[in-house]
Amino acid sequence: MAPAAPFNPPSADLPGKPFVPEWVPPPVTKEKHNFAELKSIDLSLLDSDDPAVVDDLVQQVKVAIRDDGFLFLENYGVSLEQLHRQFALAQYLYNNISEEDKERLLFHPDSGKWSGYKHPYGFKRHRGAPDGIEQFNWYKPDWEDINRVPTCLHPFMDEIEAFSNYLTKSVNRRLLTVLSRVLELPDDYLWDNVQSHGSPTGEGYFRHALFRPVQKQIQEASKGLRMHGHTDFGLTTLLFSVPISCLQIWGRDEQWYYVPYKPGALVINIGDTLEIVSGGHFKATRHRVFRPPADQLHEERLSLVLFNSSIGDLRMAPAKESKLIQREGCVEEQGVYKEFKKLTSQGKLVPTNRQWREIQIATCTDPTDTVNNRVGAHQVLIDGKVMHQREYMGVKVVLPDDEQHYVTFEQSQPSGSMSYPMPISAVRKHGHVIIKGRPCKIIDISKSGTSTHLVGNDIFTGSTLSDDFQSSQSVDIPNVTRCGYQLVNIDEGFLNLMSQDGTAKDDVKDPGGELGQTIQADFEDGKDLIITVISAMGEEQAVTYNEAPKGS
């Protein structure tokens, strides 16, 4: 395919444009623990004349999407200077928007759209508890009518619109080309048949967002949460990596991980639509916005996001033309595809894409909503874990809940055995499996004929184990839990810990080695530490730690 042209924005110095101060990225956290390791994809390789290079790119994306649903995208055509200009415009918006415009352009989420200005008082039009989050969202009508945009941004709409057009029609189109190839479909299949069109963002939207620090009582009420754990309801989401670490993803080991900062990179995640079209081969990414590490608690987080939506009138189904789906079938490992299939197998209509996204926006709740955020309302207990459960038009959505981060070891123990069976076809890299009697994290999966070879690292000893399994059989999956405890003391080789409810736990050994030494040093320095303990098959071990936020 022809090489993609780089972004060529309108000039920032045209007559009539006010001066815009530069955006200075805030300092990166010094915290090193509890961060995800995401694969980075070089999109410029799609332009290579060497078919082997392009094929390798497709395979890299295939692995990243199947394993994580999240990936970094680099070399996509926008320079760091051009990107910082867009952040400067977002900063200018929140420093200059008038109170009149805030009221005039106030959003109506009950309509099923985020269009307009979101006040920093929750996700309803009426004001609730202060959440410190301001947003402005551009949908198709907002691009078409300058009066639907804050007055202070009128001189810069040529730049903002050109940026959104480039992200949608160049960056996202090339990304969809790669994803079409992963599914072994024609290059433009997803762009022509699934992606919505008709504006700089199609039926989706572009967002400027600002997260300001919140007061202690709000942080306590929301348990540190800024936005509920969720999957995006659209096709793809393009989020620009920022220094303030708030975005977290849910790992296969059922642990929340911060997404690290990679200057200039796009963070890409897969939405519900693409999970369904792929027949479950792609997974919609479970993620949330959480309080940042302790050294960033008082920093503001500026964010730019493009949410790509699928065609609203379509009812999504797997792409039967996909040779990947024809060869391997569909995957019912998790989430929305499994629920959509359940409805269609009963002869029922699934929601249209428009219905699916609008009902979720209209019924969105706040992290401080104590009426709905409780067991018996929007929360359920599954295998001892607190999960967030909603049902939209007959489709049940169950996601790890915000309180999962705080559940104690005793609360989170599964009610059944220490393991459970799973078809080997559903096993994925970075997930857990029992190999030769030991709980392991999978580091490699290979197939040969009817045999599947699994390689994993023992989650306690780090030793590498491997075994071969017939592709038709099931494997045993260990029930693995990770729980956080406050460190009270270190005594005779054991950590004296305390759960959130005040229960003492004194049977976890000092991990020793470099980790044990750094825990000892920080504890002796008077730091308030939270120790993460991993438990499986009757064993447990301290695996990492972080400094507790001040005042928590």
Side-chain angles (χ1 to χ4, degrees):
M1 60 188 300
F7 181 46
N8 183 23
S11 173
D13 300 320
L14 293 176
K17 289 189 176 183
F19 169 73
V20 176
E22 290 185 5
W23 176 67
V24 179
V28 179
T29 180
K30 296 178 181 178
E31 178 64 66
K32 302 297 182 184
H33 304 286
N34 209 37
F35 278 78
E37 296 181 6
L38 299 186
K39 296 176 179 65
S40 188
I41 302 299
D42 183 345
L43 190 59
S44 69
L45 296 178
L46 186 61
D47 296 336
S48 174
D49 293 329
D50 186 346
V53 171
V54 179
D55 288 344
D56 182 63
L57 170 68
V58 172
Q59 290 306 311
Q60 289 180 48
V61 172
K62 181 178 182 178
V63 171
I65 292 300
R66 281 184 156 187
D67 287 352
D68 303 312
F70 254 108
L71 55 83
F72 282 125
L73 201 65
E74 297 185 277
N75 296 324
Y76 50 85
V78 178
S79 70
L80 192 61
E81 180 183 1
Q82 292 167 340
L83 178 57
H84 282 198
R85 169 65 178 179
Q86 293 294 323
F87 273 95
L89 293 176
Q91 177 179 259
Y92 185 87
L93 164 65
Y94 294 113
N95 288 338
N96 292 277
I97 185 172
S98 67
E99 293 301 317
E100 178 185 357
D101 276 354
K102 290 180 180 180
E103 183 62 32
R104 180 176 64 86
L105 302 172
L106 189 62
F107 68 162
H108 289 269
D110 288 348
S111 69
K113 295 183 176 66
W114 295 121
S115 176
Y117 171 77
K118 177 205 169 294
H119 54 54
Y121 298 95
F123 286 89
K124 297 295 182 184
R125 184 175 170 85
H126 65 269
R127 292 192 172 197
D131 64 0
I133 304 172
E134 291 181 79
Q135 298 174 352
F136 190 82
N137 295 288
W138 281 267
Y139 283 74
K140 181 179 180 181
D142 308 306
W143 297 115
E144 295 174 342
D145 184 355
I146 192 70
N147 292 316
R148 295 174 62 107
V149 175
T151 306
C152 63
L153 288 184
H154 286 188
F156 311 107
M157 282 307 299
D158 58 340
E159 296 180 69
I160 297 171
E161 184 169 339
F163 186 61
S164 296
N165 267 314
Y166 187 81
L167 293 180
T168 300
K169 298 173 183 178
S170 179
V171 180
N172 190 56
R173 183 169 186 171
R174 283 178 280 151
L175 175 63
L176 293 181
T177 296
V178 178
L179 295 176
S180 291
R181 291 192 184 186
V182 171
L183 292 173
E184 299 175 39
L185 290 163
D187 281 1
D188 284 335
Y189 183 92
L190 293 173
W191 177 257
D192 290 342
N193 298 284
V194 184
Q195 168 76 34
S196 60
H197 303 283
S199 85
T201 52
E203 296 178 30
Y205 52 102
F206 178 61
R207 170 178 293 171
H208 284 176
L210 178 64
F211 293 75
R212 302 183 193 273
V214 294
Q215 298 175 350
K216 179 181 178 182
Q217 59 267 35
I218 297 298
Q219 187 177 123
E220 291 174 348
S222 67
K223 299 182 176 66
L225 195 74
R226 305 303 299 269
M227 295 178 70
H228 278 298
H230 63 284
T231 56
D232 290 340
F233 38 73
L235 189 61
T236 57
T237 301
L238 280 60
L239 170 72
F240 289 92
S241 183
V242 293
I244 303 302
S245 299
C246 286
L247 180 64
Q248 293 186 330
I249 62 172
W250 183 250
R252 287 186 174 273
D253 56 357
E254 299 189 342
Q255 165 87 350
W256 288 110
Y257 291 97
Y258 285 111
V259 174
Y261 175 49
K262 185 177 284 289
L266 273 166
V267 181
I268 305 294
N269 75 287
I270 297 302
D272 293 339
T273 297
L274 203 46
E275 179 178 316
I276 297 166
V277 172
S278 73
H281 285 275
F282 301 159
K283 68 172 190 174
T285 317
R286 300 170 177 185
H287 58 288
R288 70 179 185 179
V289 182
F290 197 66
R291 70 185 174 205
D295 58 357
Q296 293 186 324
L297 277 175
H298 303 293
E299 298 282 355
E300 293 183 347
R301 174 180 182 257
L302 197 60
S303 176
L304 304 181
V305 196
L306 174 68
F307 296 90
N308 289 292
S309 287
S310 46
I311 300 169
D313 293 334
L314 289 182
R315 300 183 194 273
M316 282 291 93
K320 295 180 180 179
E321 304 92 330
S322 165
K323 293 180 181 178
L324 175 67
I325 295 176
Q326 292 171 7
R327 184 175 62 254
E328 299 185 14
C330 295
V331 179
E332 296 182 34
E333 177 194 355
Q334 70 158 45
V336 69
Y337 169 67
K338 186 175 182 179
E339 287 293 316
F340 267 59
K341 183 179 179 182
K342 186 186 300 181
L343 276 188
T344 55
S345 65
Q346 296 169 356
K348 298 178 181 178
L349 284 177
V350 298
T352 65
N353 292 326
R354 181 176 293 106
Q355 290 171 329
W356 181 244
R357 62 192 181 230
E358 290 186 355
I359 193 171
Q360 293 188 64
I361 292 174
T363 60
C364 179
T365 58
D366 297 316
T368 55
D369 184 348
T370 56
V371 174
N372 290 302
N373 298 331
R374 59 181 177 83
V375 175
H378 290 172
Q379 291 178 345
V380 293
L381 282 172
I382 299 177
D383 291 334
K385 298 182 177 72
V386 180
M387 306 292 282
H388 198 81
Q389 177 174 289
R390 302 293 302 276
E391 186 167 322
Y392 309 104
M393 304 180 70
V395 180
K396 186 180 294 184
V397 178
V398 181
L399 293 164
D401 193 72
D402 328 313
E403 293 188 13
Q404 182 68 40
H405 190 79
Y406 298 90
V407 174
T408 65
F409 173 76
E410 290 78 9
Q411 290 171 323
S412 61
Q413 280 296 309
S415 56
S417 64
M418 292 187 291
S419 64
Y420 58 94
M422 177 185 286
I424 197 167
S425 61
V427 170
R428 293 287 182 267
K429 192 175 177 181
H430 302 316
H432 291 113
V433 70
I434 297 175
I435 300 178
K436 297 182 178 177
R438 296 295 301 169
C440 295
K441 186 172 185 178
I442 302 169
I443 60 173
D444 188 55
I445 302 174
S446 58
K447 296 181 180 180
S448 177
T450 60
S451 178
T452 298
H453 184 67
L454 298 182
V455 182
N457 288 335
D458 189 307
I459 63 174
F460 294 114
T461 67
S463 60
T464 301
L465 299 172
S466 63
D467 207 349
D468 293 301
F469 303 86
Q470 287 300 304
S471 299
S472 59
Q473 75 180 91
S474 293
V475 291
D476 289 327
I477 307 298
N479 276 308
V480 179
T481 61
R482 296 175 70 111
C483 309
Y485 299 90
Q486 183 179 5
L487 179 61
V488 178
N489 194 20
I490 303 175
D491 183 29
E492 296 184 355
F494 285 85
L495 305 178
N496 299 153
L497 306 172
M498 185 173 64
S499 65
Q500 190 188 22
D501 64 5
T503 302
K505 182 173 179 62
D506 300 323
D507 57 352
V508 177
K509 291 182 179 180
D510 183 326
E514 182 180 353
L515 175 60
Q517 292 172 7
T518 55
I519 289 175
Q520 180 82 42
D522 283 351
F523 183 70
E524 290 178 352
D525 284 344
K527 296 180 180 179
D528 187 9
L529 305 183
I530 301 297
I531 307 295
T532 298
V533 177
I534 189 170
S535 307
M537 300 178 68
E539 297 182 47
E540 56 185 353
Q541 181 176 301
V543 292
T544 187
Y545 77 100
N546 61 281
E547 186 176 356
K550 299 294 188 271
S552 63

